[in-house]
PDB file of all heavy atoms in Angstrom:
ATOM      1  N   ASN A  36     -19.581 -54.599 -18.052  1.00 98.00           N
ATOM      2  CA  ASN A  36     -20.906 -54.380 -17.475  1.00 98.00           C
ATOM      3  C   ASN A  36     -21.726 -55.662 -17.493  1.00 98.00           C
ATOM      4  O   ASN A  36     -22.365 -56.007 -16.515  1.00 98.00           O
ATOM      5  CB  ASN A  36     -21.660 -53.297 -18.257  1.00 98.00           C
ATOM      6  CG  ASN A  36     -20.966 -51.957 -18.179  1.00 98.00           C
ATOM      7  OD1 ASN A  36     -20.514 -51.560 -17.105  1.00 98.00           O
ATOM      8  ND2 ASN A  36     -20.842 -51.275 -19.303  1.00 98.00           N
ATOM      9  N   ALA A  37     -21.687 -56.333 -18.666  1.00 98.00           N
ATOM     10  CA  ALA A  37     -22.519 -57.523 -18.853  1.00 98.00           C
ATOM     11  C   ALA A  37     -21.643 -58.768 -18.965  1.00 98.00           C
ATOM     12  O   ALA A  37     -20.425 -58.685 -19.119  1.00 98.00           O
ATOM     13  CB  ALA A  37     -23.382 -57.363 -20.102  1.00 98.00           C
ATOM     14  N   SER A  41     -24.195 -63.235 -22.149  1.00 98.00           N
ATOM     15  CA  SER A  41     -25.569 -62.783 -21.905  1.00 98.00           C
ATOM     16  C   SER A  41     -25.563 -61.322 -21.503  1.00 98.00           C
ATOM     17  O   SER A  41     -24.504 -60.747 -21.221  1.00 98.00           O
ATOM     18  CB  SER A  41     -26.234 -63.619 -20.802  1.00 98.00           C
ATOM     19  OG  SER A  41     -25.964 -63.065 -19.523  1.00 98.00           O
ATOM     20  N   GLY A  42     -26.754 -60.722 -21.459  1.00 98.00           N
ATOM     21  CA  GLY A  42     -26.875 -59.305 -21.128  1.00 98.00           C
ATOM     22  C   GLY A  42     -27.112 -59.052 -19.641  1.00 98.00           C
ATOM     23  O   GLY A  42     -27.483 -57.945 -19.255  1.00 98.00           O
ATOM     24  N   PRO A  51     -29.444 -62.777  -4.504  1.00 97.00           N
ATOM     25  CA  PRO A  51     -29.154 -64.037  -5.198  1.00 97.00           C
ATOM     26  C   PRO A  51     -30.031 -64.218  -6.431  1.00 97.00           C
ATOM     27  O   PRO A  51     -31.221 -63.893  -6.403  1.00 97.00           O
ATOM     28  CB  PRO A  51     -29.457 -65.108  -4.142  1.00 97.00           C
ATOM     29  CG  PRO A  51     -30.224 -64.419  -3.059  1.00 97.00           C
ATOM     30  CD  PRO A  51     -29.788 -62.995  -3.088  1.00 97.00           C
ATOM     31  N   ASN A  52     -29.421 -64.696  -7.498  1.00 98.00           N
ATOM     32  CA  ASN A  52     -30.096 -64.999  -8.756  1.00 98.00           C
ATOM     33  C   ASN A  52     -30.814 -63.809  -9.386  1.00 98.00           C
ATOM     34  O   ASN A  52     -31.730 -63.984 -10.197  1.00 98.00           O
ATOM     35  CB  ASN A  52     -31.055 -66.186  -8.573  1.00 98.00           C
ATOM     36  CG  ASN A  52     -30.304 -67.468  -8.293  1.00 98.00           C
ATOM     37  OD1 ASN A  52     -29.433 -67.842  -9.068  1.00 98.00           O
ATOM     38  ND2 ASN A  52     -30.590 -68.105  -7.168  1.00 98.00           N
ATOM     39  N   ALA A  53     -30.393 -62.588  -9.020  1.00 97.00           N
ATOM     40  CA  ALA A  53     -30.981 -61.393  -9.650  1.00 97.00           C
ATOM     41  C   ALA A  53     -30.284 -61.101 -10.979  1.00 97.00           C
ATOM     42  O   ALA A  53     -30.930 -60.665 -11.926  1.00 97.00           O
ATOM     43  CB  ALA A  53     -30.857 -60.191  -8.717  1.00 97.00           C
ATOM     44  N   ILE A  69     -21.737 -63.478 -27.938  1.00 98.00           N
ATOM     45  CA  ILE A  69     -20.539 -62.990 -27.255  1.00 98.00           C
ATOM     46  C   ILE A  69     -20.535 -61.465 -27.072  1.00 98.00           C
ATOM     47  O   ILE A  69     -21.014 -60.720 -27.932  1.00 98.00           O
ATOM     48  CB  ILE A  69     -19.255 -63.463 -27.979  1.00 98.00           C
ATOM     49  CG1 ILE A  69     -18.052 -63.336 -27.040  1.00 98.00           C
ATOM     50  CG2 ILE A  69     -19.027 -62.669 -29.263  1.00 98.00           C
ATOM     51  CD1 ILE A  69     -16.858 -64.142 -27.485  1.00 98.00           C
ATOM     52  N   ASN A  70     -20.022 -61.050 -25.925  1.00 98.00           N
ATOM     53  CA  ASN A  70     -19.885 -59.637 -25.573  1.00 98.00           C
ATOM     54  C   ASN A  70     -18.560 -59.126 -26.177  1.00 98.00           C
ATOM     55  O   ASN A  70     -17.485 -59.552 -25.780  1.00 98.00           O
ATOM     56  CB  ASN A  70     -19.875 -59.524 -24.039  1.00 98.00           C
ATOM     57  CG  ASN A  70     -19.753 -58.103 -23.537  1.00 98.00           C
ATOM     58  OD1 ASN A  70     -19.258 -57.216 -24.231  1.00 98.00           O
ATOM     59  ND2 ASN A  70     -20.207 -57.892 -22.294  1.00 98.00           N
ATOM     60  N   ASP A  71     -18.694 -58.223 -27.141  1.00 97.00           N
ATOM     61  CA  ASP A  71     -17.564 -57.669 -27.867  1.00 97.00           C
ATOM     62  C   ASP A  71     -16.493 -57.076 -26.940  1.00 97.00           C
ATOM     63  O   ASP A  71     -15.296 -57.225 -27.160  1.00 97.00           O
ATOM     64  CB  ASP A  71     -18.108 -56.519 -28.733  1.00 97.00           C
ATOM     65  CG  ASP A  71     -17.500 -56.515 -30.107  1.00 97.00           C
ATOM     66  OD1 ASP A  71     -16.649 -57.369 -30.359  1.00 97.00           O
ATOM     67  OD2 ASP A  71     -17.870 -55.647 -30.908  1.00 97.00           O
ATOM     68  N   HIS A 151     -22.750 -73.710   1.419  1.00 91.00           N
ATOM     69  CA  HIS A 151     -23.006 -75.005   2.053  1.00 91.00           C
ATOM     70  C   HIS A 151     -23.431 -74.898   3.511  1.00 91.00           C
ATOM     71  O   HIS A 151     -23.767 -75.901   4.126  1.00 91.00           O
ATOM     72  CB  HIS A 151     -21.761 -75.883   1.956  1.00 91.00           C
ATOM     73  CG  HIS A 151     -21.274 -76.075   0.543  1.00 91.00           C
ATOM     74  ND1 HIS A 151     -21.991 -76.771  -0.392  1.00 91.00           N
ATOM     75  CD2 HIS A 151     -20.172 -75.631  -0.091  1.00 91.00           C
ATOM     76  CE1 HIS A 151     -21.332 -76.776  -1.547  1.00 91.00           C
ATOM     77  NE2 HIS A 151     -20.224 -76.072  -1.386  1.00 91.00           N
ATOM     78  N   ASP A 154     -27.893 -74.487   5.472  1.00 90.00           N
ATOM     79  CA  ASP A 154     -28.855 -75.526   5.804  1.00 90.00           C
ATOM     80  C   ASP A 154     -28.079 -76.826   5.991  1.00 90.00           C
ATOM     81  O   ASP A 154     -27.139 -77.095   5.247  1.00 90.00           O
ATOM     82  CB  ASP A 154     -29.865 -75.660   4.655  1.00 90.00           C
ATOM     83  CG  ASP A 154     -30.993 -76.635   4.980  1.00 90.00           C
ATOM     84  OD1 ASP A 154     -30.765 -77.862   4.874  1.00 90.00           O
ATOM     85  OD2 ASP A 154     -32.081 -76.155   5.355  1.00 90.00           O
ATOM     86  N   SER A 158     -27.500 -77.570  -0.172  1.00 94.00           N
ATOM     87  CA  SER A 158     -26.593 -76.529  -0.631  1.00 94.00           C
ATOM     88  C   SER A 158     -27.429 -75.501  -1.370  1.00 94.00           C
ATOM     89  O   SER A 158     -28.364 -75.858  -2.093  1.00 94.00           O
ATOM     90  CB  SER A 158     -25.536 -77.110  -1.570  1.00 94.00           C
ATOM     91  OG  SER A 158     -24.635 -77.931  -0.863  1.00 94.00           O
ATOM     92  N   VAL A 160     -27.665 -72.451  -4.153  1.00 97.00           N
ATOM     93  CA  VAL A 160     -26.944 -72.072  -5.357  1.00 97.00           C
ATOM     94  C   VAL A 160     -27.380 -70.695  -5.860  1.00 97.00           C
ATOM     95  O   VAL A 160     -28.582 -70.424  -5.986  1.00 97.00           O
ATOM     96  CB  VAL A 160     -27.149 -73.128  -6.472  1.00 97.00           C
ATOM     97  CG1 VAL A 160     -26.398 -72.718  -7.730  1.00 97.00           C
ATOM     98  CG2 VAL A 160     -26.704 -74.506  -6.000  1.00 97.00           C
ATOM     99  N   GLU A 310     -13.307 -64.547 -34.972  1.00 95.00           N
ATOM    100  CA  GLU A 310     -12.307 -63.970 -35.871  1.00 95.00           C
ATOM    101  C   GLU A 310     -12.270 -62.463 -35.672  1.00 95.00           C
ATOM    102  O   GLU A 310     -13.291 -61.796 -35.781  1.00 95.00           O
ATOM    103  CB  GLU A 310     -12.622 -64.344 -37.316  1.00 95.00           C
ATOM    104  CG  GLU A 310     -12.367 -65.828 -37.569  1.00 95.00           C
ATOM    105  CD  GLU A 310     -12.684 -66.254 -38.981  1.00 95.00           C
ATOM    106  OE1 GLU A 310     -13.851 -66.619 -39.237  1.00 95.00           O
ATOM    107  OE2 GLU A 310     -11.778 -66.216 -39.817  1.00 95.00           O
TER     108      GLU A 310
ATOM    109  N   LYS B  10     -18.623 -95.907 -17.643  1.00 90.00           N
ATOM    110  CA  LYS B  10     -17.964 -94.630 -17.325  1.00 90.00           C
ATOM    111  C   LYS B  10     -18.676 -93.459 -18.015  1.00 90.00           C
ATOM    112  O   LYS B  10     -18.942 -92.425 -17.395  1.00 90.00           O
ATOM    113  CB  LYS B  10     -16.497 -94.692 -17.781  1.00 90.00           C
ATOM    114  CG  LYS B  10     -15.694 -93.513 -17.309  1.00 90.00           C
ATOM    115  CD  LYS B  10     -14.241 -93.599 -17.750  1.00 90.00           C
ATOM    116  CE  LYS B  10     -13.569 -92.258 -17.506  1.00 90.00           C
ATOM    117  NZ  LYS B  10     -12.379 -92.088 -18.324  1.00 90.00           N
ATOM    118  N   LYS B  13     -21.860 -92.692 -16.328  1.00 87.00           N
ATOM    119  CA  LYS B  13     -21.660 -92.011 -15.053  1.00 87.00           C
ATOM    120  C   LYS B  13     -21.329 -90.534 -15.287  1.00 87.00           C
ATOM    121  O   LYS B  13     -21.864 -89.659 -14.615  1.00 87.00           O
ATOM    122  CB  LYS B  13     -20.546 -92.707 -14.275  1.00 87.00           C
ATOM    123  CG  LYS B  13     -20.472 -92.220 -12.845  1.00 87.00           C
ATOM    124  CD  LYS B  13     -19.373 -92.883 -12.062  1.00 87.00           C
ATOM    125  CE  LYS B  13     -19.233 -92.162 -10.729  1.00 87.00           C
ATOM    126  NZ  LYS B  13     -17.979 -92.480 -10.069  1.00 87.00           N
ATOM    127  N   ARG B  62     -22.022 -60.581 -32.437  1.00 96.00           N
ATOM    128  CA  ARG B  62     -21.518 -59.973 -31.199  1.00 96.00           C
ATOM    129  C   ARG B  62     -22.557 -59.061 -30.571  1.00 96.00           C
ATOM    130  O   ARG B  62     -23.480 -58.601 -31.230  1.00 96.00           O
ATOM    131  CB  ARG B  62     -20.260 -59.152 -31.485  1.00 96.00           C
ATOM    132  CG  ARG B  62     -19.072 -60.021 -31.802  1.00 96.00           C
ATOM    133  CD  ARG B  62     -18.189 -59.386 -32.830  1.00 96.00           C
ATOM    134  NE  ARG B  62     -17.562 -60.406 -33.637  1.00 96.00           N
ATOM    135  CZ  ARG B  62     -16.242 -60.539 -33.760  1.00 96.00           C
ATOM    136  NH1 ARG B  62     -15.444 -59.707 -33.163  1.00 96.00           N
ATOM    137  NH2 ARG B  62     -15.744 -61.499 -34.496  1.00 96.00           N
ATOM    138  N   ARG B  63     -22.348 -58.774 -29.315  1.00 97.00           N
ATOM    139  CA  ARG B  63     -23.257 -57.976 -28.517  1.00 97.00           C
ATOM    140  C   ARG B  63     -22.460 -56.826 -27.909  1.00 97.00           C
ATOM    141  O   ARG B  63     -21.279 -56.986 -27.606  1.00 97.00           O
ATOM    142  CB  ARG B  63     -23.755 -58.866 -27.381  1.00 97.00           C
ATOM    143  CG  ARG B  63     -25.087 -58.591 -26.815  1.00 97.00           C
ATOM    144  CD  ARG B  63     -25.581 -59.804 -25.986  1.00 97.00           C
ATOM    145  NE  ARG B  63     -24.513 -60.521 -25.324  1.00 97.00           N
ATOM    146  CZ  ARG B  63     -23.948 -60.113 -24.205  1.00 97.00           C
ATOM    147  NH1 ARG B  63     -24.329 -59.003 -23.621  1.00 97.00           N
ATOM    148  NH2 ARG B  63     -22.977 -60.816 -23.652  1.00 97.00           N
ATOM    149  N   ASP B  65     -21.543 -54.218 -24.797  1.00 98.00           N
ATOM    150  CA  ASP B  65     -21.431 -54.470 -23.350  1.00 98.00           C
ATOM    151  C   ASP B  65     -22.477 -53.662 -22.589  1.00 98.00           C
ATOM    152  O   ASP B  65     -22.159 -52.707 -21.879  1.00 98.00           O
ATOM    153  CB  ASP B  65     -20.008 -54.104 -22.888  1.00 98.00           C
ATOM    154  CG  ASP B  65     -19.794 -54.448 -21.422  1.00 98.00           C
ATOM    155  OD1 ASP B  65     -20.400 -55.427 -20.949  1.00 98.00           O
ATOM    156  OD2 ASP B  65     -19.017 -53.735 -20.759  1.00 98.00           O
ATOM    157  N   SER B  68     -28.837 -55.784 -20.410  1.00 97.00           N
ATOM    158  CA  SER B  68     -30.124 -55.810 -21.091  1.00 97.00           C
ATOM    159  C   SER B  68     -30.990 -56.957 -20.587  1.00 97.00           C
ATOM    160  O   SER B  68     -32.047 -57.239 -21.125  1.00 97.00           O
ATOM    161  CB  SER B  68     -29.892 -55.971 -22.601  1.00 97.00           C
ATOM    162  OG  SER B  68     -29.133 -57.159 -22.822  1.00 97.00           O
ATOM    163  N   ASP B  69     -30.506 -57.636 -19.536  1.00 97.00           N
ATOM    164  CA  ASP B  69     -31.206 -58.839 -19.088  1.00 97.00           C
ATOM    165  C   ASP B  69     -31.012 -58.994 -17.581  1.00 97.00           C
ATOM    166  O   ASP B  69     -30.181 -58.315 -16.987  1.00 97.00           O
ATOM    167  CB  ASP B  69     -30.627 -60.052 -19.844  1.00 97.00           C
ATOM    168  CG  ASP B  69     -31.663 -61.138 -20.065  1.00 97.00           C
ATOM    169  OD1 ASP B  69     -32.637 -61.186 -19.286  1.00 97.00           O
ATOM    170  OD2 ASP B  69     -31.499 -61.928 -21.010  1.00 97.00           O
ATOM    171  N   ASN B  71     -32.624 -59.463 -13.451  1.00 97.00           N
ATOM    172  CA  ASN B  71     -33.701 -58.975 -12.579  1.00 97.00           C
ATOM    173  C   ASN B  71     -35.001 -59.735 -12.778  1.00 97.00           C
ATOM    174  O   ASN B  71     -36.062 -59.154 -12.973  1.00 97.00           O
ATOM    175  CB  ASN B  71     -33.921 -57.469 -12.787  1.00 97.00           C
ATOM    176  CG  ASN B  71     -32.847 -56.666 -12.106  1.00 97.00           C
ATOM    177  OD1 ASN B  71     -32.452 -56.978 -10.974  1.00 97.00           O
ATOM    178  ND2 ASN B  71     -32.329 -55.659 -12.794  1.00 97.00           N
ATOM    179  N   GLN B  72     -34.887 -61.043 -12.759  1.00 97.00           N
ATOM    180  CA  GLN B  72     -36.056 -61.892 -12.963  1.00 97.00           C
ATOM    181  C   GLN B  72     -35.911 -63.140 -12.101  1.00 97.00           C
ATOM    182  O   GLN B  72     -36.112 -64.262 -12.571  1.00 97.00           O
ATOM    183  CB  GLN B  72     -36.180 -62.256 -14.448  1.00 97.00           C
ATOM    184  CG  GLN B  72     -34.843 -62.685 -15.053  1.00 97.00           C
ATOM    185  CD  GLN B  72     -34.956 -63.189 -16.475  1.00 97.00           C
ATOM    186  OE1 GLN B  72     -36.056 -63.314 -17.018  1.00 97.00           O
ATOM    187  NE2 GLN B  72     -33.827 -63.490 -17.073  1.00 97.00           N
ATOM    188  N   GLN B  73     -35.584 -62.880 -10.832  1.00 97.00           N
ATOM    189  CA  GLN B  73     -35.322 -63.974  -9.901  1.00 97.00           C
ATOM    190  C   GLN B  73     -36.465 -64.990  -9.882  1.00 97.00           C
ATOM    191  O   GLN B  73     -36.232 -66.198  -9.945  1.00 97.00           O
ATOM    192  CB  GLN B  73     -35.107 -63.385  -8.496  1.00 97.00           C
ATOM    193  CG  GLN B  73     -34.568 -64.355  -7.485  1.00 97.00           C
ATOM    194  CD  GLN B  73     -34.785 -63.838  -6.069  1.00 97.00           C
ATOM    195  OE1 GLN B  73     -35.916 -63.587  -5.651  1.00 97.00           O
ATOM    196  NE2 GLN B  73     -33.692 -63.667  -5.342  1.00 97.00           N
ATOM    197  N   GLY B  86     -34.406 -67.050  -2.417  1.00 97.00           N
ATOM    198  CA  GLY B  86     -33.794 -66.579  -3.654  1.00 97.00           C
ATOM    199  C   GLY B  86     -32.735 -67.495  -4.231  1.00 97.00           C
ATOM    200  O   GLY B  86     -32.188 -67.223  -5.296  1.00 97.00           O
ATOM    201  N   PHE B  88     -31.387 -71.476  -5.495  1.00 97.00           N
ATOM    202  CA  PHE B  88     -31.761 -72.848  -5.811  1.00 97.00           C
ATOM    203  C   PHE B  88     -31.325 -73.670  -4.606  1.00 97.00           C
ATOM    204  O   PHE B  88     -30.209 -73.491  -4.102  1.00 97.00           O
ATOM    205  CB  PHE B  88     -30.988 -73.363  -7.031  1.00 97.00           C
ATOM    206  CG  PHE B  88     -31.392 -72.728  -8.335  1.00 97.00           C
ATOM    207  CD1 PHE B  88     -30.715 -71.609  -8.814  1.00 97.00           C
ATOM    208  CD2 PHE B  88     -32.436 -73.246  -9.090  1.00 97.00           C
ATOM    209  CE1 PHE B  88     -31.069 -71.026 -10.018  1.00 97.00           C
ATOM    210  CE2 PHE B  88     -32.793 -72.665 -10.301  1.00 97.00           C
ATOM    211  CZ  PHE B  88     -32.120 -71.557 -10.764  1.00 97.00           C
ATOM    212  N   VAL B  90     -30.405 -77.397  -3.414  1.00 94.00           N
ATOM    213  CA  VAL B  90     -30.116 -78.724  -3.971  1.00 94.00           C
ATOM    214  C   VAL B  90     -29.561 -79.616  -2.862  1.00 94.00           C
ATOM    215  O   VAL B  90     -29.057 -79.114  -1.859  1.00 94.00           O
ATOM    216  CB  VAL B  90     -29.076 -78.642  -5.116  1.00 94.00           C
ATOM    217  CG1 VAL B  90     -29.569 -77.755  -6.241  1.00 94.00           C
ATOM    218  CG2 VAL B  90     -27.731 -78.148  -4.602  1.00 94.00           C
ATOM    219  N   LYS B  92     -27.191 -81.549  -0.566  1.00 90.00           N
ATOM    220  CA  LYS B  92     -25.858 -81.084  -0.177  1.00 90.00           C
ATOM    221  C   LYS B  92     -24.743 -81.621  -1.081  1.00 90.00           C
ATOM    222  O   LYS B  92     -24.642 -82.815  -1.317  1.00 90.00           O
ATOM    223  CB  LYS B  92     -25.566 -81.544   1.253  1.00 90.00           C
ATOM    224  CG  LYS B  92     -24.417 -80.793   1.876  1.00 90.00           C
ATOM    225  CD  LYS B  92     -24.961 -79.913   2.952  1.00 90.00           C
ATOM    226  CE  LYS B  92     -23.954 -79.191   3.757  1.00 90.00           C
ATOM    227  NZ  LYS B  92     -24.606 -78.054   4.421  1.00 90.00           N
ATOM    228  N   VAL B  93     -23.937 -80.695  -1.602  1.00 83.00           N
ATOM    229  CA  VAL B  93     -22.740 -81.102  -2.343  1.00 83.00           C
ATOM    230  C   VAL B  93     -21.549 -80.519  -1.601  1.00 83.00           C
ATOM    231  O   VAL B  93     -21.457 -79.319  -1.416  1.00 83.00           O
ATOM    232  CB  VAL B  93     -22.722 -80.558  -3.787  1.00 83.00           C
ATOM    233  CG1 VAL B  93     -23.402 -81.501  -4.727  1.00 83.00           C
ATOM    234  CG2 VAL B  93     -23.342 -79.179  -3.876  1.00 83.00           C
TER     235      VAL B  93
END
Side-chain angles (χ1 to χ4, degrees):
Chain A
N36 297 317
S41 88
N52 293 305
I69 198 163
N70 181 337
D71 222 358
H151 304 293
D154 186 281
S158 290
V160 180
E310 289 179 272
Chain B
K10 189 179 168 201
K13 191 181 171 196
R62 289 145 212 238
R63 208 164 33 79
D65 185 32
S68 57
D69 211 336
N71 283 318
Q72 45 174 355
Q73 191 197 59
F88 290 93
V90 301
K92 197 110 175 160
V93 271

